[in-house]
């Protein structure tokens, strides 16, 4: 297994960030613990250091950076690990000469953000980048690394039986018999799997995420979610037809004749706030491994789960509004990296009444992203219209809807003013 403590973030796609900020200033410290699977929380970043901007730009450019930078507004709604691709992007701009920031300042910001995580080797690399390759690593970093490996080993041992079961042929039989759930597994004492073992497995997934091993965390969360799901039974012919279980949603029977779960939430048979947190963790993993197709599925699962919980009064309307605000911010990574219909899907989501309420109430700064998306979608519609009056009307309707949203948002910037 690769050293999880040295995992580095993926390289970001510039399409999101070029439209996101006129200039991107740097958060210098994290003031709260990061959201980690399966418990995402809000995180706040300090206001960018104004003296750094003033020393590296002319007066007019510094004013522009301070005025239009969205980093302090966006960062409270992002998983801490999502900040690393942002800083990687800043590094690329510095090396290309597009921004006059200091690479040392970026490294210092990255080291500050790494402190709450378990990516100790990565933090050590950044420390040497700041203080020289011959610099002595602080003892507390070495101690943290030892604790991380110890805890990782402890969690791994605690869930060995369930991890082995997930990779065995026995799993398929248990699923077919309708016994792939925590209650049934606990009753089969010979397996050595009970609720405590499963909980340790979940904690292990979270710990791997904190180490930057997003792929392993994603696979483990998939296994964990499967314990609470019931997908349609498939015949041998269907298994050979090349289609996924979602293509056979018309079937009513799940494993062992049980009811099929909700296909919009990985076939989960029920949802509660704890499972919602796991779905958030799954979405975070998909974004950080840059699997945009699966990230779209995970995004839809979180959206469906939030609406299900609020409709069954398991979370309050205010909490649902907060969850939708988070989802809008996380969705930017997904929609702007989806080359097919990502922007169209973004416009559709943002114009949905409940999510539009989240924009106007909690996050008017997202109007910049919505405006850019509408302009690009309108251009596509007009280009593909071919003289079609219907598509031309759709393009005009998009602009009218956008202007209506602008009237309700207490926000403006050069992109918004361009349309307004």
């Amino acid at each position: 297994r690769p050293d999880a403590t040295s995992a580095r973030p993926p390289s970001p796609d510039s399409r999101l960030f070029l439209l996101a900020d006129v200039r991107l200033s740097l958060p210098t410290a994290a003031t709260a613990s990061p959201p980690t699977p399966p418990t995402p929380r809000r995180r706040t970043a300090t206001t960018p250091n104004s003296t750094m901007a003033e020393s590296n730009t002319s007066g007019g450019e510094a004013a522009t950076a301070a005025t239009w930078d969205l980093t302090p507004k966006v960062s409270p709604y992002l998983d801490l690990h999502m900040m690393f691709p942002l800083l990687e992007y800043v590094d690329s701009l510095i090396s290309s000469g597009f921004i006059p920031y200091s690479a040392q300042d970026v490294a210092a910001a990255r080291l500050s953000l790494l402190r709450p995580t378990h990516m100790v080797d990565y933090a050590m690399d950044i420390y040497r980048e700041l203080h020289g390759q011959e610099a002595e690593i602080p003892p507390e970093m070495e101690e943290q690394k030892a604790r991380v490996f110890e805890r990782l080993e402890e969690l791994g041992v605690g869930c060995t039986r369930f991890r082995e079961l997930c990779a065995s042929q026995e799993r398929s039989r248990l699923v077919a018999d309708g016994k792939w759930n925590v209650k049934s597994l606990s009753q089969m004492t010979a397996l050595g799997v009970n609720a405590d073992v499963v909980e340790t497995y979940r904690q292990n997934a979270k710990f791997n995420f904190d180490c930057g091993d997003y792929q392993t965390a994603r696979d483990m969360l998939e296994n964990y979610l499967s314990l609470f799901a019931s997908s349609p039974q498939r015949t041998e012919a269907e298994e050979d037809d090349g289609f996924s279980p979602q293509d056979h949603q018309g079937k009513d029977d799940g494993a062992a004749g049980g009811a099929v779960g909700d296909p919009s939430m990985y076939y989960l048979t029920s949802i509660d706030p704890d499972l919602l947190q796991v779905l958030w963790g799954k979405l975070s993993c998909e974004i950080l491994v840059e699997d945009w197709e699966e990230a779209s599925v995970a995004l839809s699962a979180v959206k469906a789960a939030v609406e299900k919980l609020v409709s069954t009064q398991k979370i309050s309307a205010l909490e649902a509004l907060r969850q939708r605000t988070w989802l809008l911010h996380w969705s930017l990574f997904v929609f702007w990296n989806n080359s097919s219909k990502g922007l169209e899907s973004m416009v559709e989501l943002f114009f949905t009444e409940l999510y539009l309420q989240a924009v106007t109430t909690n996050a008017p700064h997202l109007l910049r992203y919505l405006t850019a998306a509408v302009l690009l979608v309108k251009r596509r519609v007009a280009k593909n219209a071919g003289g079609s009056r219907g598509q031309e009307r759709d393009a005009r309707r998009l602009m009218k809807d956008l202007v209506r949203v602008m009237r309700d948002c207490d926000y403006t910037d050069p992109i918004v003013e361009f349309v307004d």
Side-chain angles (χ1 to χ4, degrees), residues 310-371:
V310 74
S311 68
T312 55
Q313 299 182 340
K314 292 182 179 179
I315 61 174
S316 66
L318 183 61
E319 174 62 19
L321 178 64
R322 191 163 64 102
Q323 297 276 342
R324 294 185 192 109
T325 306
W326 288 350
L327 193 62
L328 287 170
H329 286 81
W330 291 30
S331 74
L332 297 175
F333 289 90
V334 181
F335 291 137
W336 283 95
N337 284 287
N338 187 329
S339 58
S340 55
K341 291 291 185 178
L343 294 183
E344 286 82 355
S345 299
M346 174 185 166
V347 171
E348 181 181 354
L349 176 65
F350 276 54
F351 278 152
T352 303
E353 183 178 354
L354 291 174
Y355 284 84
L356 192 56
Q357 181 186 15
V359 173
T360 57
T361 304
N362 289 347
H365 54 273
L366 291 180
L367 184 59
R368 180 185 299 181
Y369 296 92
L370 178 59
T371 301

Side-chain angles (χ1 to χ4, degrees), residues 227-367:
L227 291 171
F228 306 91
S230 178
S231 58
Q233 283 187 307
R234 302 174 64 190
T235 65
E236 292 184 4
E238 289 172 341
E239 289 176 353
D240 294 335
D241 65 6
F243 291 99
S244 65
Q246 285 82 352
D247 296 310
H248 300 291
Q249 290 180 11
K251 285 186 169 292
D252 296 326
D253 294 333
V260 173
D262 188 338
S264 66
M265 299 187 300
Y266 298 108
Y267 290 101
L268 293 176
T269 55
S270 63
I271 188 67
D272 57 36
D274 290 337
L275 280 177
L276 174 62
Q277 293 171 2
V278 178
L279 292 177
W280 275 107
K282 179 73 159 55
L283 173 58
S284 186
C285 290
E286 300 294 0
I287 290 173
L288 289 165
V289 300
E290 299 182 354
D291 188 337
W292 304 119
E293 182 176 346
E294 287 301 320
S296 297
V297 175
L299 183 73
S300 298
V302 173
K303 179 176 178 290
V306 169
E307 303 313 321
K308 188 78 169 180
L309 287 172
V310 74
S311 68
T312 55
Q313 299 182 340
K314 292 182 179 179
I315 61 174
S316 66
L318 183 61
E319 174 62 19
L321 178 64
R322 191 163 64 102
Q323 297 276 342
R324 294 185 192 109
T325 306
W326 288 350
L327 193 62
L328 287 170
H329 286 81
W330 291 30
S331 74
L332 297 175
F333 289 90
V334 181
F335 291 137
W336 283 95
N337 284 287
N338 187 329
S339 58
S340 55
K341 291 291 185 178
L343 294 183
E344 286 82 355
S345 299
M346 174 185 166
V347 171
E348 181 181 354
L349 176 65
F350 276 54
F351 278 152
T352 303
E353 183 178 354
L354 291 174
Y355 284 84
L356 192 56
Q357 181 186 15
V359 173
T360 57
T361 304
N362 289 347
H365 54 273
L366 291 180
L367 184 59

Side-chain angles (χ1 to χ4, degrees), residues 377-397:
V377 170
K378 177 178 178 294
R379 182 182 179 186
R380 290 181 186 176
V381 171
K383 183 178 180 180
N384 298 327
S388 169
R389 292 184 178 180
Q391 289 186 311
E392 290 178 358
R393 284 195 299 269
D394 290 341
R396 289 195 296 270
R397 178 182 55 79

Side-chain angles (χ1 to χ4, degrees), residues 346-347 350-351 356 359-360 364-378 394-411 413 415-420:
M346 174 185 166
V347 171
F350 276 54
F351 278 152
L356 192 56
V359 173
T360 57
H365 54 273
L366 291 180
L367 184 59
R368 180 185 299 181
Y369 296 92
L370 178 59
T371 301
V374 168
L375 289 174
L376 293 173
V377 170
K378 177 178 178 294
D394 290 341
R396 289 195 296 270
R397 178 182 55 79
L398 282 176
M399 294 303 297
K400 289 180 179 178
D401 290 343
L402 178 61
V403 172
R404 176 174 54 84
V405 175
M406 288 179 176
R407 296 195 186 104
D408 295 331
C409 280
D410 184 19
Y411 175 82
D413 65 24
I415 297 177
V416 173
E417 289 176 358
F418 172 76
V419 173
D420 199 24

